[in-house]
Amino acid sequence: MSESLFAEARQRLDLALKHVKISEDAVEQLKYPKASLQVSVPVRMDDGSLQVFQGYRVRYDNTRGPTKGGIRYHPNVSMDEVQSLAFWMTFKCAVLDLPFGGAKGGITIDPKQLSKFELERLSRGYIDAIADFIGPDVDIPAPDVQTNQIIMGWMMDQYSIIQRKITPAVITGKPLTMGGSTGRETATGMGAYFAIETIMPKFQAVRESTTVAVQGFGNVGAVVADLLCQAGYRVVAVSDSKGGIYAKQGLDIPSIRSYKNSTRDFRAVYCEGTVCNIVEHEIITNEQLLALDVDILIPGALENQITENNAHNIRAKYIFEIANGPVTPAADRILEDKGIRVFPDILVNAGGVTVSYFEWVQNRSGLYWSLDEVNSRLKHKMVEETERIWAIAERESISMRTAAYVHALNRIGEAIDAKGTRDYYISQ
Ligand code: NAD
């Protein structure tokens, strides 16, 4: 991870500032994180040895409410990365008008190297280390790359042990039986699907002739690929960290998902019942997937996938970012020159934090909603905010990314200014 990820993230803010009227005070406040914490987490390993892991949590801005953001387990996790992701979360929560600021956390670890026992001890140890930094009214974590429901459950349990009271609202993305929300697991992919379905008719796209490639077949990528495939889009390529599969005629994503879930094997298959047959396909690299001649490209793995080095090769017409930060600012400029429309992460993948918000609301009220209610509230929010950002982009003739930042900045700026600006204090 480059040291400059945060500097790059801030470039987006600078671009948007040219199109908003917010006070100097608000700009000054948004330049720095509210609070950052680095912790060492000692873990007794299964072989009896002790290993110490580095963990982070950053609360970026809490003007609009307690901060909110996921916890990532990955070897590349650093303070720079966590701070950048916390910065993005601040804008993402404002884009969707959620009463939250932005935060993020993580541990520098490849979780695949740990046993389940070690993973539980690490997750509980991390909560021990950051317990004073989080809370239902302070900062509310959630899952991110390589963390999941069961880890959120351990973390909620550990926080409740420390507080001596069951505190489900401290963390979202929990198992349903521990206060999780219906629809949380599919929320990010489904939110992205609603954004795509709101945007594509504006370009007179017909689903059946719209081709799609998805990089990353995890929590988010697999769900959006599945929803698009079932809606009639032609999903021609998907990939994971080992590489991708491509079939010109389109892939049967529900079959690939169920085959992967039951065998852990990632292959182009078509299944009828429990019988799956391999279909004709090509094996491609992730670089080749990104450069495919498709209508829609969906980067859904990690950040910095489309950079100044490969942006020239991109042939897709529309890019919907479901990973956080997959396109660098330098690549943005190249794509814009090529006429490729980029729909930004802080809008497209905001379905996850939106249903996390619904989970927090349900935990605090003690009243739980049906899947239909969760999904219809999610659809309403995604469609409404996508339309608003589209209108700003059209009105100002700016990219959807800058329009999303403008939209968020207006909301955050108003909240900061509500406490008083320089003009308020010096005018008599
Ligand atoms: P995940 O760990 O479930 O899946 C990640 C997928 O990407 C896996 O299939 C992995 O094999 C693949 N991958 C990893 N490195 C790759 C590479 N170099 N090339 C191609 N594929 C690669 O994670 P996730 O929860 O699906 O998150 C994916 C992205 O979406 C991240 O950027 C995350 O921050 C973002 N996101 C996730 C959520 C959520 O609710 N899970 C919400 C908002 C944003």
Side-chain angles (χ1 to χ4, degrees), residues 73-290:
Y73 287 177
H74 195 274
N76 288 346
V77 165
S78 65
M79 185 56 99
D80 178 50
E81 183 184 68
V82 172
Q83 182 168 302
S84 308
L85 292 164
F87 171 88
W88 278 318
M89 283 304 297
T90 305
F91 291 90
K92 195 183 297 181
C93 292
V95 160
L96 268 286
D97 206 13
L98 310 179
F100 290 137
K104 205 79 184 189
I107 303 179
T108 314
I109 175 72
D110 176 2
K112 291 181 194 132
Q113 305 300 318
L114 300 185
S115 73
K116 287 178 181 154
F117 294 109
E118 290 165 343
L119 194 62
E120 177 173 359
R121 289 195 284 270
L122 174 69
S123 303
R124 289 183 182 275
Y126 175 68
I127 291 301
D128 284 340
I130 67 163
D132 293 333
F133 202 74
I134 60 172
D137 294 308
V138 182
D139 175 31
I140 307 126
D144 191 65
V145 174
Q146 299 193 103
T147 54
N148 55 21
Q149 277 196 356
I150 193 159
I151 295 175
M152 297 305 112
W154 291 330
M155 289 182 168
M156 190 281 268
D157 187 46
Q158 190 63 24
Y159 186 82
S160 298
I161 290 168
I162 294 166
Q163 299 297 324
R164 301 219 171 271
K165 58 181 176 196
I166 302 298
T167 317
V170 69
I171 203 156
T172 58
K174 302 178 293 291
L176 267 183
T177 48
M178 294 178 77
S181 176
T182 52
R184 175 60 186 88
E185 282 223 289
T186 51
T188 307
M190 188 162 286
Y193 170 73
F194 292 139
I196 294 169
E197 282 277 277
T198 309
I199 293 293
M200 292 314 289
K202 299 183 189 304
F203 297 100
Q204 283 76 48
V206 177
R207 289 178 184 145
E208 285 68 23
S209 52
T210 304
T211 52
V212 183
V214 182
Q215 185 201 32
F217 204 67
N219 289 333
V220 182
V223 171
V224 76
D226 199 333
L227 289 169
L228 289 169
C229 180
Q230 294 199 47
Y233 290 80
R234 196 141 56 89
V235 182
V236 294
V238 289
S239 68
D240 69 6
S241 56
K242 295 186 202 82
I245 46 185
Y246 170 77
K248 198 171 166 217
Q249 70 280 11
L251 295 160
D252 186 56
I253 303 296
S255 292
I256 297 172
R257 274 186 92 189
S258 65
Y259 188 75
K260 189 176 177 207
N261 285 341
S262 56
T263 63
R264 311 307 311 155
D265 201 5
F266 183 53
R267 274 175 192 257
V269 287
Y270 176 72
C271 306
E272 277 192 37
T274 51
V275 182
C276 297
N277 291 311
I278 302 210
V279 295
E280 196 184 327
H281 68 282
E282 285 171 41
I283 302 287
I284 54 171
T285 64
N286 267 296
E287 263 317 297
Q288 286 171 320
L289 181 139
L290 293 175

Side-chain angles (χ1 to χ4, degrees), residues 6 25-36 58-69 82-83 85-94 98-104 133 138-139 408-409 411-417 419:
F6 182 60
D25 309 21
V27 176
E28 185 63 12
Q29 182 171 319
L30 288 171
K31 281 185 188 164
Y32 311 99
K34 183 96 185 159
S36 309
V58 173
R59 300 194 308 244
Y60 199 86
D61 185 80
N62 63 358
T63 315
R64 287 173 44 87
T67 53
K68 184 95 193 76
V82 172
Q83 182 168 302
L85 292 164
F87 171 88
W88 278 318
M89 283 304 297
T90 305
F91 291 90
K92 195 183 297 181
C93 292
L98 310 179
F100 290 137
K104 205 79 184 189
F133 202 74
V138 182
D139 175 31
L409 265 173
R411 286 179 172 153
I412 301 168
E414 253 177 51
I416 294 174
D417 290 356
K419 291 189 213 164

Side-chain angles (χ1 to χ4, degrees), residues 372-385:
D372 280 352
E373 184 163 3
V374 168
N375 284 344
S376 84
R377 284 176 186 268
L378 172 63
K379 181 175 182 181
H380 177 78
K381 274 228 161 271
M382 289 302 303
V383 172
E384 188 175 42
E385 301 302 342

Side-chain angles (χ1 to χ4, degrees), residues 290-426:
L290 293 175
L292 284 174
D293 186 7
V294 287
D295 297 303
I296 300 179
L297 174 63
I298 303 181
L302 292 172
E303 55 277 301
N304 287 342
Q305 295 302 300
I306 303 178
T307 67
E308 67 220 273
N309 299 327
N310 62 354
H312 294 284
N313 303 334
I314 306 292
R315 289 185 288 167
K317 298 186 188 72
Y318 311 99
I319 298 179
F320 286 86
E321 297 182 324
I322 59 170
N324 284 310
V327 178
T328 64
D332 255 346
R333 289 188 284 275
I334 298 168
L335 297 173
E336 206 166 332
D337 288 346
K338 282 168 66 97
I340 298 171
R341 306 284 297 249
V342 179
F343 298 90
D345 47 7
I346 59 169
L347 168 67
V348 177
N349 71 23
V353 69
T354 302
V355 176
S356 271
Y357 163 55
F358 297 161
E359 182 175 333
W360 180 79
V361 169
Q362 292 171 78
N363 291 154
R364 294 174 73 103
S365 69
L367 181 67
Y368 287 83
W369 307 346
S370 68
L371 181 60
D372 280 352
E373 184 163 3
V374 168
N375 284 344
S376 84
R377 284 176 186 268
L378 172 63
K379 181 175 182 181
H380 177 78
K381 274 228 161 271
M382 289 302 303
V383 172
E384 188 175 42
E385 301 302 342
T386 304
E387 291 288 10
R388 284 191 174 142
I389 293 168
W390 176 263
I392 296 171
E394 291 289 288
R395 193 180 64 231
E396 304 277 326
S397 297
I398 51 179
S399 70
M400 280 292 279
R401 187 184 317 281
T402 302
Y405 275 92
V406 166
H407 190 43
L409 265 173
N410 283 330
R411 286 179 172 153
I412 301 168
E414 253 177 51
I416 294 174
D417 290 356
K419 291 189 213 164
T421 61
R422 192 171 72 130
D423 289 349
Y424 170 79
Y425 287 107
I426 60 171

